[in-house]
Amino acid sequence: MNNYTFDELKVGMTESFDVTITAEMLDAFKGITGDVNPLHNDEKFAESKGHPGRVAYGMLTASFLSTLAGVYIPGERSLIQQVETKFASPVYIGDALTVKGEIVELIDSVQRLTLKVTITNQNGKKVLRGKMEILVV
Amino acid sequence: MTREGVFKELTEIFWDVFDDEDIELTDETTADDIEDWDSLEQINLVVACEKKFNIKFDMKEIQSLKNVGEMVDTILSKVQ
């Protein structure tokens, strides 16, 4: 786990990690949230809607932003304040995602950073983009 | 910039941060008077003020602000 102090952070710094979406992740997410929508849980239903298989929950994909902040940038001192996301493309079981954050702003007075975030799949297509406001405490 | 000018600009910042153009500020307005004025929005207000007025606060100043009037006076002292 990283443990950047505010003073060690610079605009332009990036961190990233990779994760592959599994059926077990979707099932665990359903168990936690109670979201039983068939688009995420019924392969035939998802196919009837034009997808190659079950669609990963957008919020499951977004949940990796928690890891990005809490483990990578800034890491241990992270306190997430705000998250804005757009789900640009669907994510499917087996997709290999790269979760990346780049510091675009540092506010000294409140020790807060703005992280531009993108999640791309194995084809280089953006599946999520957004912005996080994170306090360094 | 006049005190009235700062007050007007600050009011617009409050409208923007709280997404509520019905907010009417006075010098005595505090966080107790605006339902969503919590610690998160306090930080958003500070950041918005820094950008709007092109100033910097320090942590002690932020913690010592007791109401909108003190906020206006602190901003005014930095823009003059």
Side-chain angles (χ1 to χ4, degrees):
Chain A
M1 180 183 294
N2 290 331
N3 188 15
Y4 290 111
T5 64
F6 188 82
D7 291 340
E8 290 172 327
L9 298 168
K10 301 281 180 277
V11 170
M13 275 177 69
T14 63
E15 291 278 352
S16 67
F17 67 96
D18 298 327
V19 62
T20 298
I21 300 297
T22 66
E24 289 74 24
M25 287 178 181
L26 269 67
D27 294 341
F29 192 91
K30 179 176 70 173
I32 293 166
T33 63
D35 183 352
V36 294
N37 188 293
L39 189 67
H40 311 296
N41 295 294
D42 182 335
E43 194 155 338
K44 286 200 171 78
F45 179 87
E47 287 171 358
S48 76
K49 297 294 181 187
H51 297 282
R54 294 162 62 189
V55 179
Y57 298 91
M59 297 300 279
L60 169 63
T61 304
S63 71
F64 295 108
L65 300 179
S66 179
T67 312
L68 180 66
V71 177
Y72 291 90
I73 187 165
E76 196 174 314
R77 296 167 192 267
S78 161
L79 180 63
I80 298 172
Q81 275 207 311
Q82 295 176 211
V83 181
E84 292 174 26
T85 60
K86 291 181 180 175
F87 302 111
S89 292
V91 173
Y92 303 108
I93 293 166
D95 277 359
L97 305 180
T98 299
V99 183
K100 181 180 175 185
E102 177 184 355
I103 296 176
V104 293
E105 187 173 32
L106 291 163
I107 311 279
D108 294 344
S109 58
V110 291
Q111 305 269 292
R112 189 170 87 175
L113 64 90
T114 304
L115 201 62
K116 178 185 170 190
V117 295
T118 54
I119 301 181
T120 51
N121 66 16
Q122 63 280 2
N123 301 316
K125 190 171 183 58
K126 281 183 191 169
V127 297
L128 180 150
R129 51 196 164 85
K131 191 174 81 165
M132 301 176 77
E133 307 289 353
I134 306 164
L135 289 181
V136 184
V137 296
Chain B
M1 193 172 217
T2 63
R3 196 172 191 282
E4 290 70 30
V6 171
F7 206 96
K8 183 173 176 293
E9 298 271 12
L10 187 62
T11 300
E12 289 176 6
I13 287 171
F14 270 72
W15 290 352
D16 187 44
V17 168
F18 294 106
D19 198 22
D20 181 359
E21 294 191 7
D22 291 331
I23 290 174
E24 292 180 19
L25 299 179
T26 68
D27 279 349
E28 288 73 37
T29 302
T30 70
D32 291 337
D33 302 312
I34 297 176
E35 187 183 356
D36 293 334
W37 190 349
D38 49 28
S39 59
L40 167 61
E41 298 303 357
Q42 172 78 0
I43 289 173
N44 286 335
L45 283 170
V46 167
V47 172
C49 286
E50 287 191 342
K51 288 180 177 173
K52 183 84 172 187
F53 296 104
N54 196 27
I55 57 172
K56 293 278 182 196
F57 291 103
D58 64 46
M59 199 61 88
K60 280 184 186 169
E61 283 174 330
I62 295 166
Q63 289 167 345
S64 70
L65 295 173
K66 290 188 178 60
N67 56 34
V68 165
E70 289 190 8
M71 220 166 167
V72 171
D73 290 334
T74 303
I75 292 167
L76 200 55
S77 71
K78 291 176 182 291
V79 295
Q80 283 179 335

